[in-house]
Amino acid sequence: MGKTRLGRELAKGLALEGWEWELVGVGGEVAAVEAAGRVRRRVLLLVDYAETRSGLAAMLAGVAAREAAGDAGGLRVLLLARQAGEWWAKLGAEPDVVRALVARARVLELAAALDDRRGDVEVIEGALPFYAAALGRPVPRVGFEVDGGVRLPVLVLHAAALVAVLDAERGGSGGRAAADLGVLDRLLGHERRLWEKTARRVGLGVGLAVLEQVVAAVVLLGAEEGGEAAVREVIRRVPDVAGADEERVGALARWLRQLYPGAGGWVEVLRPDLVAERHAANQLGEHELLRRACFTGVELPGAVRALTVLTRACAHHDRAAVLLEQVLRCDLMGLADAAIVVAVQTGTRLGDLLAGVLEDVPAGVEDLEHIARRIPFPTVALAAADAVATRRVRELLPADADPADIARWSGQLAVVLGQVGRREEALEAVTEAVEVYRTLAEARPDAFLPDLATSLNNQSGCLSDLGRREEALEAITEAVEVYRTLAEARPDAFLPDLAMSLNNQSNRLSDLGRREEALEAVTEAVEIRRTLAEARPDAFLPDLAAALNNQSNHLSGLGRREEALEAIIEAVGVYRALAEARPDAFLPDLAATLNNQSNHLSDLGRREEGLEAIIEAVEIRRTLAEARPDAFLPNLAMSLNNQSNRLSDLGRREEALEAITEAVEIRRTLAEARPDAFLPNLATALNNQSNHLSDLGRREEALEAITEAVEIRRTLAEARPDAFLPDLATALNNQSGCLSDLGRREEALETITEAVEVYRALAEARPDAFLPDLAMSLNTQSGCLSGLGRREEALEAIIEAVGVYRALAEARPDAFLPGLAGSLNNQSNRLSDLGRREEALEAIIEAVGVYRALAEARPDAFLPDLARSLVVLGGVLVDLDRVEEGTRFLVEGLAVSLERDLTELVGACVAYLQRAHAQDASAVTAVWRQLTGEGLPEWFE
């Protein structure tokens, strides 16, 4: 059942309960609200094809006015659309009364998926009796052949059933019928016979070919607004009717209205949409003159509708894409604005076709500038088109053009090239902008120093994207210096820019591991923006929230977790207030800060609150992505990635896998459309998915996911080692764990050894940034060596890891004491394996001491780690025949494990206590009774 039919069925059901309902005609939106006010019953207004309604905002303003007057209790409006796209997002930018109404509305997406328990043939056979009954015919005896590899849309399956009944009515019953997209053409064959028959009956005197084109023109351009005049105007688009007299055109209009009557006297031609799209594409392919007539000199609403029909036909018509390209090439400037609107709503198919046309279609600089300025940013669907249009503008600028124009378009080219992942070209473009602005600024500093600083800021981002971190810092540092000089002279004008560049400088410093300096830079940015926001909150509160968000990350990087949470809570509070007033503008920012708040709560062990925050972020981004998938699907995938981690932290592993799997699916789709931009994100999601599969014991699948991540990152690192070698090493580290879990220990060691080598080389070049990663990978390598019985080498690796963490912790204890304690824990295990138990005891005692101090300050975050180290300490003492001491630590570890629901650790505690009891039952009994006040449980036996 389609959206229109479903809406009508709902309305009929409500009518039985005393409701009035109306299918609102095009152009009658405001009048329908006014009429509903005169009815003393509850009223439902159905607005079909809401995405095409120019009067929708005015209608909703009328509803809001009735609500404000307390007179809307019995009125409901149901908007039906193919999808919640740009049209829905634009409603969020209408005046406050409409925006508030839209913000409360629920977006319900109808799933097209079939029940997996019923095959396509079963669906067709189940529909046959209903169509036969509706037509008063017997159920035909016919078998159906379907392609078992691809599930067909429900509408196609139902069309196959309907065609079978119609064929039987014409004497074609029996045998077998193919159920595929071709059934739409067979259904159209029956419709064409209806057109021809009814035209003869009323004496139209028009051939079938003309009738087919008339129907196609109305499908493409619509005839709802403007009544009779609109229908006639569309009919005259058909070449064979263009010069016909009014009587002939009027007869065709009456024929259409009688054949496909709609509410309010307008024509509701050819439903469902899939059939209409198929017919329109067929006719456009057969008649070039019709194609030109329907896509040339058309106003924006009509062009949007026609391009939408043809774009959607690409999903089921093999010539539709070629036809789209042809109409764009025929009148690019006439259709460009409409193509941009449709691409944002429908996805990359039209956007990529537009990009291909822009590559070589004859066009002037002004026309290309217009297209480039009309394309929204950011965008997925139009990213390639934006890059082509902007590049051509830059290339077409003559050598003697104004240098400022050259620099401006070079800078813009860098931005759009970065959006499609073409990082080297983006850097080349922004470097040209920097060089030109530098020359201009030397001659006219007052005019061009701000532009130089802006381009340096962008150049820093491009260098960072390529992993050229020192150069990125150099560029942003120069930008900060320029803005600082400008702000000293004109603070009102340039303090905001100084804060922006400081914010970015903090990120470049952090990338190099210079975390204290990064915090210092962002703290200055926060202070500037706080001062600005106190004076002009409307203008600068959003910037303050952004800086607080960044400050929280840098505080977290230094282990200052409570302060990090405090900063992000303030940012969330600011964005929440802003989003309540202007949801269209600030909901995306609120979601981003909630995402980070979730991370910081998790870092403090406040896992339920962390999950609560990320769930809100996911809900916001899901709503945004439903309205504008082009802009917000990447962000939804990121939040789902984080949500999976929060769920996993709480032991909700199946739900964690479900969330990360959705993230992988989104990023895979994005990467198929824009590999340069989204393959890195896909690899990240696959890395996380591997972890969650492993947690569920699905080890082969976990290895498969991480292997794909490694392959992606290896390819990326071969092309851009500075940018992607760190990511490759991370994936190799995780792949090693998956191989080890499957008992493939030699391969696991080989993989982690490669990761260690990569991190060692990175750490030699940038120790502040990569020594922590080296220590982490040495930890993993030690475990692999131990698993292969290479115990001395395992000890050597973990000793190096401990040494690295010890040095890091001396400089930054808040950040690296947890890593030191974890490595000491592992070092104790390696020493025990070698029988060096006294040294093992020394190492684990230090680890327990570190974790105990950490747990006293942050129990939620570190009590689980303390429990693990207590178990190891108790085990070492038992192995040394110091049973009484060991039992004390084991009982403490057991108490924490039970309190924190650490099931696996409880099992380890019990096993050690049973061993201890076997060695010295009286000592264990005494300690147990002393610490618990109870006798020994039965499991000791």
Side-chain angles (χ1 to χ4, degrees):
M1 185 181 293
K3 60 176 177 58
T4 306
R5 175 76 179 278
L6 186 62
R8 288 176 181 268
E9 291 299 318
L10 170 66
K12 291 176 183 177
L14 290 176
L16 297 176
E17 299 179 13
W19 286 65
E20 293 279 347
W21 71 277
E22 178 186 349
L23 184 63
V24 180
V26 175
E29 293 85 6
V30 174
V33 175
E34 294 172 352
R38 296 189 290 271
V39 176
R40 295 305 174 189
R41 302 164 69 185
R42 292 174 295 178
V43 178
L44 172 68
L45 300 179
L46 287 180
V47 184
D48 201 6
Y49 295 91
E51 70 270 31
T52 67
R53 303 296 188 103
S54 59
L56 191 57
M59 178 188 191
L60 296 180
V63 174
R66 284 192 56 186
E67 185 178 50
D71 189 31
L75 176 61
R76 296 292 183 271
V77 179
L78 178 60
L79 306 181
L80 302 173
R82 291 285 288 265
Q83 63 184 36
E86 183 74 13
W87 69 276
W88 182 251
K90 284 182 177 178
L91 288 176
E94 292 290 339
D96 290 350
V97 290
V98 175
R99 187 166 62 240
L101 200 63
V102 170
R104 302 202 316 269
R106 181 184 177 191
V107 177
L108 178 63
E109 183 176 356
L110 301 180
L114 290 168
D115 187 337
D116 289 336
R117 293 172 296 180
R118 299 182 69 204
D120 287 353
V121 172
E122 291 179 87
V123 173
I124 299 171
E125 292 175 344
L128 272 175
F130 293 94
Y131 284 114
L135 293 170
R137 303 294 299 173
V139 178
R141 300 180 64 183
V142 60
F144 294 93
E145 298 174 354
V146 299
D147 180 358
V150 179
R151 297 220 68 175
L152 292 168
V154 178
L155 189 147
V156 174
L157 301 178
H158 285 183
L162 174 58
V163 167
V165 175
L166 293 171
D167 285 347
E169 189 175 15
R170 298 181 66 247
S173 180
R176 302 194 65 77
D180 53 28
L181 289 172
V183 76
L184 299 176
D185 293 323
R186 299 200 296 278
L187 184 59
L188 282 167
H190 287 280
E191 199 76 4
R192 281 193 293 271
R193 284 186 285 277
L194 174 65
W195 299 338
E196 198 169 26
K197 179 180 177 181
T198 54
R200 279 199 309 268
R201 183 187 304 148
V202 298
L204 271 183
V206 174
L208 177 61
V210 173
L211 297 176
E212 290 173 330
Q213 292 179 66
V214 167
V215 173
V218 176
V219 166
L220 287 162
L221 298 172
E224 294 88 356
E225 296 193 37
E228 178 76 13
V231 176
R232 289 173 179 247
E233 181 182 345
V234 171
I235 291 173
R236 286 192 180 279
R237 291 272 175 180
V238 177
D240 288 341
V241 187
D245 57 38
E246 285 298 317
E247 184 178 351
R248 173 63 57 86
V249 175
L252 282 167
R254 287 191 296 276
W255 171 75
L256 275 173
R257 193 176 297 108
Q258 291 166 6
L259 195 62
Y260 300 111
W266 53 276
V267 177
E268 185 179 288
V269 68
L270 202 56
R271 297 286 186 262
D273 293 341
L274 204 64
V275 175
E277 293 157 6
R278 186 90 175 176
H279 175 66
N282 286 340
Q283 293 302 303
L284 292 173
E286 293 176 14
H287 304 285
E288 181 180 356
L289 292 179
L290 178 68
R291 191 162 66 242
R292 291 179 179 273
C294 289
F295 287 92
T296 303
V298 182
E299 296 294 328
L300 181 64
V304 167
R305 175 171 176 145
L307 286 172
T308 299
V309 169
L310 196 48
T311 301
R312 288 175 174 157
C314 291
H316 54 82
H317 197 290
D318 56 6
R319 292 192 60 197
V322 174
L323 294 170
L324 260 178
E325 182 177 351
Q326 289 173 350
V327 299
L328 289 172
R329 287 188 179 281
C330 184
D331 186 16
L332 176 62
M333 289 313 301
L335 295 172
D337 287 356
I340 289 167
V341 172
V342 175
V344 168
Q345 293 181 346
T346 59
T348 58
R349 189 188 301 271
L350 179 56
D352 288 347
L353 282 171
L354 179 60
V357 171
L358 283 167
E359 281 284 0
D360 54 16
V361 72
V365 172
E366 290 184 0
D367 288 340
L368 291 166
E369 285 184 359
H370 171 82
I371 292 172
R373 290 192 176 104
R374 291 287 295 172
I375 293 175
F377 183 89
T379 176
V380 175
L382 287 157
D386 203 0
V388 174
T390 306
R391 173 178 55 77
R392 286 197 64 190
V393 170
R394 173 62 192 90
E395 290 173 351
L396 288 173
L397 290 174
D400 60 351
D402 185 343
D405 287 339
I406 292 174
R408 182 175 69 255
W409 281 102
S410 293
Q412 181 60 23
L413 179 59
V415 172
V416 297
L417 286 169
Q419 183 177 222
V420 293
R422 292 160 61 179
R423 300 180 183 186
E424 291 82 3
E425 295 170 79
L427 177 59
E428 182 180 346
V430 78
T431 298
E432 180 183 31
V434 168
E435 291 170 352
V436 174
Y437 278 133
R438 194 181 297 283
T439 300
L440 291 170
E442 288 172 356
R444 296 176 58 196
D446 289 344
F448 292 107
L449 269 177
D451 297 312
L452 172 61
T454 299
S455 59
L456 284 164
N457 188 82
N458 293 342
Q459 185 185 44
S460 172
C462 290
L463 287 162
S464 177
D465 288 341
L466 286 166
R468 295 164 62 174
R469 300 180 181 186
E470 290 81 5
E471 295 168 86
L473 177 59
E474 184 179 344
I476 193 62
T477 298
E478 183 180 356
V480 167
E481 290 170 355
V482 172
Y483 277 133
R484 196 179 294 282
T485 300
L486 292 168
E488 288 171 356
R490 296 176 60 196
D492 288 344
F494 293 109
L495 269 177
D497 298 309
L498 173 59
M500 177 269 297
S501 60
L502 284 165
N503 199 71
N504 290 342
Q505 185 186 41
S506 74
N507 293 332
R508 301 295 85 80
L509 287 161
S510 179
D511 289 341
L512 287 165
R514 295 164 62 175
R515 298 180 182 179
E516 290 80 5
E517 295 169 85
L519 179 59
E520 183 179 345
V522 78
T523 298
E524 184 181 358
V526 167
E527 291 170 355
I528 292 171
R529 288 177 168 176
R530 194 179 295 283
T531 300
L532 292 168
E534 288 171 356
R536 295 175 59 195
D538 289 343
F540 294 111
L541 268 177
D543 297 326
L544 171 61
L548 286 164
N549 188 75
N550 206 18
Q551 184 185 44
S552 76
N553 291 333
H554 295 313
L555 286 162
S556 179
L558 286 166
R560 295 163 62 175
R561 300 180 182 183
E562 290 80 6
E563 295 169 86
L565 181 59
E566 183 179 345
I568 197 65
I569 286 174
E570 183 181 358
V572 167
V574 171
Y575 277 134
R576 195 179 295 283
L578 291 167
E580 287 173 358
R582 294 183 57 197
D584 55 305
F586 295 110
L587 272 176
D589 299 307
L590 174 60
T593 50
L594 285 165
N595 200 82
N596 285 348
Q597 184 184 39
S598 171
N599 292 335
H600 298 323
L601 286 163
S602 178
D603 288 342
L604 286 166
R606 295 164 62 174
R607 297 176 178 178
E608 289 80 5
E609 296 169 85
L611 178 59
E612 184 179 342
I614 196 61
I615 286 174
E616 184 180 359
V618 167
E619 289 172 352
I620 292 171
R621 286 177 162 171
R622 195 179 295 284
T623 301
L624 293 169
E626 287 170 354
R628 291 185 59 198
D630 180 50
F632 294 111
L633 267 179
N635 295 329
L636 172 61
M638 181 184 68
S639 286
L640 285 164
N641 193 84
N642 289 347
Q643 184 185 36
S644 74
N645 292 332
R646 299 296 86 80
L647 287 163
S648 180
D649 290 342
L650 288 166
R652 295 163 61 175
R653 296 179 179 179
E654 290 80 6
E655 295 170 84
L657 179 59
E658 183 179 344
I660 193 60
T661 298
E662 183 181 357
V664 167
E665 290 169 355
I666 292 171
R667 287 178 168 175
R668 194 179 296 283
T669 301
L670 292 168
E672 287 170 358
R674 299 277 179 270
D676 287 342
F678 293 109
L679 269 177
N681 304 115
L682 172 59
T684 298
L686 286 164
N687 192 87
N688 207 14
Q689 185 184 43
S690 171
N691 293 334
H692 297 316
L693 285 163
S694 183
D695 288 342
L696 286 167
R698 295 164 62 174
R699 297 178 179 179
E700 290 79 5
E701 295 169 85
L703 178 59
E704 183 179 345
I706 193 61
T707 298
E708 184 181 356
V710 167
E711 291 169 354
I712 292 171
R713 287 178 168 176
R714 195 179 294 284
T715 301
L716 293 169
E718 287 170 357
R720 297 171 178 149
D722 287 341
F724 293 110
L725 268 177
D727 296 325
L728 172 60
T730 299
L732 287 166
N733 190 88
N734 289 348
Q735 186 183 40
S736 172
C738 290
L739 288 163
S740 183
D741 288 341
L742 286 167
R744 295 163 62 175
R745 297 180 180 178
E746 290 79 4
E747 295 170 84
L749 178 59
E750 181 181 347
T751 302
I752 192 59
T753 298
E754 182 183 356
V756 168
E757 291 170 355
V758 171
Y759 278 135
R760 195 179 297 284
L762 292 169
E764 287 173 359
R766 296 170 179 151
D768 287 341
F770 293 109
L771 273 175
D773 298 309
L774 173 60
M776 177 268 298
S777 62
L778 285 165
N779 253 303
T780 304
Q781 185 185 45
S782 172
C784 289
L785 287 162
S786 177
L788 285 166
R790 295 164 62 173
R791 298 179 178 179
E792 289 79 4
E793 295 168 87
L795 178 60
E796 182 180 344
I798 197 62
I799 285 173
E800 183 180 359
V802 168
V804 172
Y805 273 129
R806 195 178 296 283
L808 292 168
E810 288 173 358
R812 296 172 181 150
D814 286 341
F816 295 111
L817 273 176
L820 172 60
S823 293
L824 286 164
N825 196 91
N826 290 344
Q827 184 184 37
S828 174
N829 291 332
R830 301 295 87 79
L831 287 162
S832 286
D833 290 342
L834 287 165
R836 295 163 60 175
R837 294 177 180 168
E838 287 78 7
E839 295 169 85
L841 179 61
E842 182 180 344
I844 194 60
I845 285 174
E846 183 180 359
V848 167
V850 172
Y851 277 135
R852 198 179 291 283
L854 291 169
E856 287 174 0
R858 297 168 182 153
D860 288 337
F862 292 110
L863 271 176
D865 297 311
L866 173 61
R868 291 184 185 92
S869 62
L870 287 167
V871 173
V872 174
L873 175 56
V876 171
L877 286 165
V878 169
D879 289 340
L880 286 167
D881 288 329
R882 294 165 61 174
V883 174
E884 182 180 347
E885 296 171 76
T887 300
R888 292 184 181 278
F889 289 110
L890 289 170
V891 171
E892 183 184 359
L894 178 62
V896 175
S897 300
L898 289 169
E899 177 189 345
R900 296 283 160 168
D901 199 22
L902 306 173
T903 306
E904 294 180 4
L905 199 54
V906 168
C909 284
V910 168
Y912 270 122
L913 284 166
Q914 288 171 333
R915 279 180 51 195
H917 185 264
Q919 288 179 232
D920 190 343
S922 60
V924 171
T925 301
V927 171
W928 182 273
R929 189 177 299 279
Q930 179 186 3
L931 295 178
T932 68
E934 300 175 357
L936 291 181
E938 292 183 0
W939 51 257
F940 266 98
E941 300 302 328

